[in-house]
């Protein structure tokens, strides 16, 4: 990994509805929005973005919180977490609300599509932002949403454990698109308490075969010695060895993006932009 993990990325400021944030962009091809996890746009999240660039895409990585490029650390995470939790842009507890930040991300995705062309765009959310890609599906341009360990709302109580973190109206729109051929890819470790199985069961029930679940065994004594506390499938807990389940999950994400954005023949569930 280079000394500056963001070396080679162009940084620009993107403003929507009076809110300005830095965005880091690199690559050629259809746009993919990579949405980092808590505590911020750390080197492992950036490394994932580089893999998406290498797969043939233009990556847009907005910095939503934290310090871009700062290494992950538990102290850093513990300081960032309360600040993110109280921010009005993020819905951490409600079961029937789409986080307001999703509107900003939808606009960024639309800009990426205008800039890059292609059939549409993709998005990969992680942890705290994992479900944001689902909320971005209300726009027909979002063809390849990936939900990596979607952790909101916090799974406190039965309703929150099964909630997928978007409003009823947005979920109805997602289901409408799924019925026309759109797909959603979700990833989780099976023992991860932040992403309970009930959440993926809701997605299966609501979306049927349009929801593609990748659930990696992290139970006690699993054959790959994955720790029970494993959480970040594509970044911090990725084991980049051929044959490892997390490496296979990474390859499945890249194949999903290629199939939806590069193949040209996929049924995308489009019916005009919204």
């Amino acid at each position: 990994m280079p000394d500056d993990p963001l070396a080679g990325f162009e940084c620009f400021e993107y403003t929507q509805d009076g809110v300005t944030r830095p965005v880091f962009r690199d690559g050629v091809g259809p746009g993919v929005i990579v949405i980092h996890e808590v505590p911020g746009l750390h080197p492992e999240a950036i490394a994932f973005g580089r893999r998406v660039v290498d797969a043939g895409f233009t990556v847009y990585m907005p910095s939503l919180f934290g310090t871009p490029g700062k290494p992950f650390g538990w102290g850093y995470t513990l300081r960032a977490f309360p600040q993110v939790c109280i921010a009005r842009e993020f819905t951490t507890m409600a079961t029937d609300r789409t986080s307001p930040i999703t509107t900003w991300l939808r606009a960024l995705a639309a800009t990426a599509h205008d800039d890059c062309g292609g059939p549409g765009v993709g998005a990969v959310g992680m942890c705290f932002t994992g479900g944001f890609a689902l909320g971005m599906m209300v726009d027909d341009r979002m063809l390849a949403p990936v939900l990596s360990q979607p952790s909101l709302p916090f799974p406190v109580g039965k309703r929150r454990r099964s909630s997928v973190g978007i409003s009823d109206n947005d979920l109805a729109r997602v289901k409408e698109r799924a019925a026309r051929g759109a797909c959603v890819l979700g990833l989780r470790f099976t023992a991860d308490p932040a992403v309970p199985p009930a959440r993926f069961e809701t997605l299966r029930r609501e979306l049927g075969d349009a929801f593609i679940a990748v659930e990696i065994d992290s139970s006690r004594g699993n054959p790959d010695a994955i720790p029970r506390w494993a959480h970040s499938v594509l970044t911090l807990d990725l084991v980049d060895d051929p044959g490892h389940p997390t490496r296979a999950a990474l390859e499945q994400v890249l194949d999903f993006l290629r199939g939806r954005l590069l193949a040209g023949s996929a049924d995308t569930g489009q019916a005009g932009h919204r």
Side-chain angles (χ1 to χ4, degrees):
M1 195 174 292
D3 291 338
D4 176 4
L6 286 163
F9 282 89
E10 170 199 2
C11 181
F12 67 97
E13 292 193 337
Y14 183 75
T15 301
Q16 172 67 22
D17 292 336
V19 178
T20 300
R21 292 185 173 87
V23 178
F24 297 85
R25 176 175 55 198
D26 192 18
V28 177
V32 176
I33 315 300
V34 173
I35 317 168
H36 64 81
E37 57 204 337
V38 174
L41 187 54
H42 57 70
E44 289 80 7
I46 297 165
F48 169 75
R50 291 188 188 279
R51 289 180 182 269
V52 178
V53 169
D54 292 343
F57 300 97
T58 304
V59 164
Y60 291 70
M61 298 189 299
S63 178
L64 304 184
F65 39 80
T67 302
K70 183 174 179 176
F72 175 86
W74 285 111
Y76 178 25
T77 300
L78 292 173
R79 289 189 298 273
F81 208 79
Q83 298 172 10
V84 175
C85 288
I86 63 174
R88 289 182 295 177
E89 295 163 297
F90 305 101
T91 301
T92 59
M93 297 297 286
T95 59
D96 57 355
R97 286 183 55 200
T98 302
S99 286
I101 186 64
T102 306
T103 301
W104 190 93
L105 291 167
R106 289 171 188 160
L108 177 61
T111 296
H113 187 230
D114 291 342
D115 289 347
C116 302
V121 295
V124 183
M126 308 175 188
C127 179
F128 201 90
T129 71
F132 294 174
L134 188 68
M136 294 168 74
M137 269 189 77
V138 302
D139 190 319
D140 279 333
R141 283 167 282 220
M142 180 50 60
L143 303 186
V146 179
L147 286 56
S148 188
Q149 73 270 2
S151 306
L152 293 185
F154 295 143
V156 181
K158 183 176 180 180
R159 285 189 63 198
R160 293 188 182 95
R161 285 196 295 271
S162 61
S163 174
V164 295
I166 62 174
S167 70
D168 291 343
N169 286 342
D170 283 355
L171 180 58
R173 170 70 179 142
V174 169
K175 291 171 66 174
E176 174 188 320
R177 290 202 58 211
R180 296 202 310 268
C183 291
V184 179
L185 178 63
L187 306 97
R188 64 180 286 270
F189 289 105
T190 58
D192 184 357
V195 193
R199 185 158 297 163
F200 273 32
E201 288 304 318
T202 297
L203 288 165
R204 288 188 182 94
R205 182 180 67 250
E206 298 293 344
L207 303 182
D209 291 341
F211 178 60
I212 305 164
V214 177
E215 296 180 281
I216 300 171
D217 184 8
S218 59
S219 62
R220 193 182 306 277
N222 70 81
D224 297 287
I226 296 170
R228 290 172 59 82
W229 57 84
H231 174 67
S232 299
V233 177
L234 301 173
T235 59
L236 297 166
D237 294 301
L238 171 68
V239 177
D240 195 11
D241 293 334
H244 194 276
T246 57
R247 171 71 175 271
L250 169 64
E251 295 298 336
Q252 188 164 351
V253 168
L254 298 177
D255 286 345
F256 179 72
L257 295 173
R258 293 186 190 102
R260 306 304 291 183
L261 300 176
L262 295 178
S265 61
D267 187 353
T268 58
Q270 289 180 302
H273 298 327
R274 293 206 172 191

